[in-house]
Amino acid sequence: MTRDPTPFRTLARCLGPALLAVLFAGLLAACGTPGRNVPVELAAAPEPLASSLVGQQVGRLLSADPDESRRAERRLTALDEAGREALLAHAAKIPTERDPRWLNVLDENRALPPLSSEQELEYLLWKVSREEPFYVMKAQSRLLDLARTQPGLLVARMARGGRGAEAIAVALALADERRAIRPLLARYENARSLQERRVAAESLAQLLDDDLRPRLQGSDAQIRSDADAIRRWLEEHPEENPK
């Protein structure tokens, strides 16, 4: 039986010979050769580079989402050797970044960059305010080192108040830094919470004789009385009150 060629001629006139040839070539390629279909093998996707993974995690670390940032921090503080190398390479690209979250990741990877004394202090005050005890202990130990080597810096920072002032008070007391007594007295008298007063009182007790230990709680008059007793002692013992 002979197939009527009229529909093909009509299609050829509508599409044109060149477009019709392309159409048939595509259909034949889609159908394949009967009995000889060849499966297409695709190459396996390449493993992500350590540098790419680290870069992604750093972006998450510095994001505004605190949960996302904490998850990224955990990953970046548990890197293998290749990951640490990628971290150092990434740090070289952002040498002026001083976000404490980034500094902490570098610190935990033993790659903390040189910081000014003020920058180091602010970073440690951020770290000592963390919830994790192991971070707090590390930071408090280094604050004690700073209290011994740069007491003036810590005394001035404690006098300004704000985050970490109580941790500074403890460090200065343990370092037996007598220049901290007057700023501690001010914190003791003007404490805005029982915790703040307790830390100031215990720090003063560490620096003074037992008979001058200020009470932890009391009326405003009792608090002033204890503070005045310490001031009188300081006036009578100027050698114990270096400027």
Side-chain angles (χ1 to χ4, degrees), residues 175-187:
D176 198 31
E177 179 50 58
R178 300 303 179 90
R179 282 176 288 182
I181 293 176
R182 289 192 181 277
L184 282 169
L185 270 176
R187 291 185 63 79

Side-chain angles (χ1 to χ4, degrees), residues 47-58:
E47 290 291 328
L49 295 176
S51 58
S52 176
L53 294 175
V54 165
Q56 292 172 9
Q57 293 305 320
V58 171

Side-chain angles (χ1 to χ4, degrees), residues 115-123 153:
L115 302 173
S116 69
S117 299
E118 292 78 7
Q119 288 173 333
E120 182 180 7
L121 176 56
E122 292 305 319
Y123 162 60
L153 174 66

Side-chain angles (χ1 to χ4, degrees), residues 73-235:
E73 179 188 68
R74 286 194 292 271
R75 296 186 183 104
L76 290 169
T77 52
L79 295 170
D80 58 14
E81 191 58 36
R84 281 191 289 273
E85 290 179 5
L87 182 73
L88 293 176
H90 192 92
K93 298 176 183 177
I94 51 172
T96 61
E97 179 59 66
R98 291 296 180 263
D99 188 299
R101 297 170 296 178
W102 173 238
L103 293 178
N104 188 56
V105 164
L106 294 177
D107 194 8
E108 293 301 309
N109 281 282
R110 303 180 299 280
L112 189 66
L115 302 173
S116 69
S117 299
E118 292 78 7
Q119 288 173 333
E120 182 180 7
L121 176 56
E122 292 305 319
Y123 162 60
L124 291 176
L125 294 181
W126 172 86
K127 191 163 185 167
V128 83
S129 301
R130 294 285 298 266
E131 297 177 355
E132 301 87 344
F134 60 93
Y135 281 152
V136 175
M137 292 176 65
K138 286 181 179 181
Q140 192 68 58
S141 175
R142 286 160 65 181
L143 281 173
L144 179 56
D145 291 339
L146 272 183
R148 289 169 173 156
T149 58
Q150 301 192 56
L153 174 66
L154 270 69
V155 169
R157 179 62 179 78
M158 183 183 67
R160 295 206 310 269
R163 181 176 66 184
E166 282 130 2
I168 295 177
V170 171
L172 289 168
L174 292 175
D176 198 31
E177 179 50 58
R178 300 303 179 90
R179 282 176 288 182
I181 293 176
R182 289 192 181 277
L184 282 169
L185 270 176
R187 291 185 63 79
Y188 174 73
E189 284 190 286
N190 302 311
R192 290 171 293 182
S193 68
L194 179 59
Q195 172 66 12
E196 184 177 338
R197 176 161 288 148
R198 183 181 300 276
V199 171
E202 293 293 348
S203 298
L204 285 166
Q206 177 76 21
L207 293 168
L208 299 167
D209 296 335
D210 285 342
D211 57 347
L212 290 171
R213 175 186 287 271
R215 70 195 78 203
L216 301 180
Q217 298 185 64
S219 66
D220 290 345
Q222 289 172 321
I223 298 299
R224 283 195 302 272
S225 176
D226 286 358
D228 287 341
I230 293 173
R231 288 194 186 91
R232 286 194 299 271
W233 184 87
L234 290 174
E235 293 300 325

Side-chain angles (χ1 to χ4, degrees), residues 6-20 23:
T6 303
F8 292 98
R9 291 174 181 165
T10 303
L11 186 60
R13 285 196 299 271
C14 293
L15 298 179
L19 187 55
L20 185 62
L23 176 61

Side-chain angles (χ1 to χ4, degrees), residues 35-50:
R36 297 188 61 186
N37 287 338
V38 178
V40 178
E41 295 185 3
L42 298 176
E47 290 291 328
L49 295 176

